[in-house]
């Protein structure tokens, strides 16, 4: 499933197309994705201007001029593509293209989703924070509020693994399996370490906490600059693949030599909470 860097890359690709534009009409080719689409979905969007395109965790938020927010989630196989007004016409409609947003300037934003695990909803902006999709979400890892002090206070006394803690969306919003593995490697922390060991008894940060927070931010920022990671279905809005998968230190590198210059270890794969964890047991202690 696309994680924060992939969603942020898509947001940045769509932002200059959508913001300041308006929906002329919407082609809705089915009644549902993962969940039923809002009643009168196309009609409610037609004529509405887009004032901003934000991201919260793994959700895209198109803020409309009528006070509603178009909430979009890519699921596992959802992707947007941009068709400019001067582009060549297509011979036929792709099988899994479910929604087309026709914009005022003639551009079309096409949404395809093979497995239909994505979602779209219309939510009043004033109700967004309290909505079921968002009310339990934690801090944004790239927000200034995500500090070693903040993290240590919430890890104090936790008996779960640090890997599980990082994947808890109630704690850190948008951080997923790939980037949790990569951040723990950069920080030199074992994914099996107890989360509570990254805080003192009084809930203050340790040196490892400081290193981990810095590693999380660095990994995410580097991945965004690389356009995210393309492993299966993910593509950027302009159709290009992400490049961060070529920079993985541990993810999907089971049995390969550790890339840390001072380490002669081998990357290992284990399963935690039903998810694959990749790490180097030699330098991640």
């Amino acid at each position: 499933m696309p994680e924060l860097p992939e969603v942020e890359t898509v947001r940045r690709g769509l932002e200059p197309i959508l913001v300041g534009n308006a929906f002329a009409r919407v082609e809705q080719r089915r009644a549902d994705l993962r969940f039923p689409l809002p009643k009168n979905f196309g009609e409610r969007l037609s004529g509405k201007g887009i004032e901003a395109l934000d991201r919260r965790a793994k959700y895209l938020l198109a803020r409309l001029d009528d006070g509603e927010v178009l909430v979009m989630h890519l699921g596992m196989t959802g992707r947007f593509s941009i068709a400019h007004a001067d582009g060549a016409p297509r011979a036929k409609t792709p099988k899994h293209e479910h929604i087309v947003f026709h914009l005022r300037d003639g551009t079309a934003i096409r949404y395809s989703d093979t497995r239909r695990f994505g979602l779209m909803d219309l939510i009043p902006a004033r109700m967004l924070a309290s909505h079921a999709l968002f009310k339990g979400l934690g801090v944004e890892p790239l927000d200034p509020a995500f500090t070693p002090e903040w993290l240590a206070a919430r890890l104090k006394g936790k008996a779960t693994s640090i890997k599980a803690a990082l994947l808890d969306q109630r704690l850190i919003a948008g951080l997923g399996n790939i980037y949790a593995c990569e951040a723990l490697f950069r920080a030199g922390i074992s994914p099996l370490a107890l989360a509570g060991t990254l805080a003192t008894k009084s809930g203050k940060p340790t040196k490892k906490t400081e290193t981990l927070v810095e590693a999380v931010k660095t990994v995410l920022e580097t991945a965004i600059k690389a356009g995210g990671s393309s492993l299966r279905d993910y593509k950027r809005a302009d159709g290009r693949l992400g490049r961060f998968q070529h920079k993985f230190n541990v993810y999907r590198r089971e049995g390969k030599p550790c890339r840390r210059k001072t380490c002669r270890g081998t990357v290992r794969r284990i399963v935690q909470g039903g998810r694959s964890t990749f790490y180097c047991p030699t330098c991640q202690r």
Side-chain angles (χ1 to χ4, degrees):
M1 182 177 292
E3 299 181 23
L4 188 155
E6 289 76 51
V7 179
E8 178 61 21
T9 298
V10 171
R11 188 197 71 79
R12 294 183 185 188
L14 294 178
E15 184 178 38
I17 308 297
L18 286 174
V19 176
N21 216 325
F23 294 112
R25 63 186 180 91
V26 177
E27 285 185 65
Q28 179 183 331
R29 296 175 180 150
R30 58 178 304 112
D32 61 352
L33 294 172
R34 189 193 326 171
F35 304 114
L37 290 162
K39 188 176 181 180
N40 302 320
F41 182 60
E43 291 85 347
R44 289 168 65 182
L45 286 174
S46 295
K48 303 300 187 299
I50 303 103
E51 297 182 337
L53 183 63
D54 301 328
R55 179 194 54 76
R56 177 72 169 111
K58 302 174 187 178
Y59 294 91
L60 291 169
L61 310 175
R63 298 183 184 273
L64 309 179
D65 59 6
D66 66 348
E68 286 202 302
V69 179
L70 170 59
V71 176
M72 298 168 282
H73 192 286
L74 296 172
M76 295 181 69
T77 59
R79 63 177 298 259
F80 290 99
S81 59
I82 302 167
H84 294 282
D86 55 358
R90 295 183 302 174
K92 62 179 181 179
T93 300
K95 180 180 179 181
H96 300 292
E97 186 178 277
H98 306 305
I99 299 171
V100 182
F101 300 104
H102 294 275
L103 304 179
R104 181 174 54 200
D105 67 354
T107 305
I109 306 294
R110 305 180 182 279
Y111 179 75
S112 303
D113 194 343
T114 304
R115 299 184 68 179
R116 298 200 313 274
F117 284 171
L119 69 82
M120 293 189 189
D121 203 352
L122 285 167
I123 303 171
R126 67 181 186 280
M127 298 175 61
L128 205 62
S130 61
H131 191 276
L133 292 175
F134 300 100
K135 66 179 180 180
L137 290 178
V139 69
E140 288 283 333
L142 294 177
D143 192 281
F146 181 54
T147 64
E149 291 75 18
W150 184 94
L151 183 59
R154 284 150 184 83
L155 294 182
K156 177 187 174 184
K158 278 190 174 290
T160 186
S161 72
I162 185 59
K163 168 75 181 307
L166 290 179
L167 293 183
D168 186 350
Q169 298 299 295
R170 298 167 298 178
L171 184 69
I172 306 173
L175 188 63
N177 197 42
I178 294 173
Y179 302 105
C181 290
E182 292 294 314
L184 286 168
F185 173 79
R186 291 198 183 208
I189 298 172
S190 170
L192 297 166
L194 296 182
T197 61
L198 272 75
T200 65
K201 290 183 178 180
S202 60
K204 301 297 182 182
T206 66
K207 182 63 178 176
K208 284 190 174 182
T209 322
E210 296 172 358
T211 304
L212 179 58
V213 168
E214 181 180 355
V216 168
K217 290 178 181 287
T218 299
V219 165
L220 293 177
E221 288 167 352
T222 304
I224 291 169
K225 288 180 181 178
S229 302
S230 290
L231 300 179
R232 293 183 181 176
D233 302 279
Y234 166 72
K235 289 184 180 180
R236 298 157 68 164
D238 60 7
R240 291 183 293 166
L241 299 176
R243 304 184 307 279
F244 190 72
Q245 66 273 14
H246 303 301
K247 299 182 179 182
F248 288 164
N249 286 305
V250 287
Y251 192 77
R252 286 193 170 184
R253 296 192 68 248
E254 179 184 9
K256 295 182 179 180
C258 177
R259 283 184 167 166
R260 203 181 302 275
K261 292 181 180 179
T262 57
C263 180
R264 294 186 178 181
T266 301
V267 175
R268 180 181 297 174
R269 173 187 173 273
I270 59 174
V271 177
Q272 292 178 287
R275 308 292 298 277
S276 292
T277 293
F278 299 86
Y279 76 111
C280 174
T282 302
C283 65
Q284 287 178 257
R285 295 181 176 274

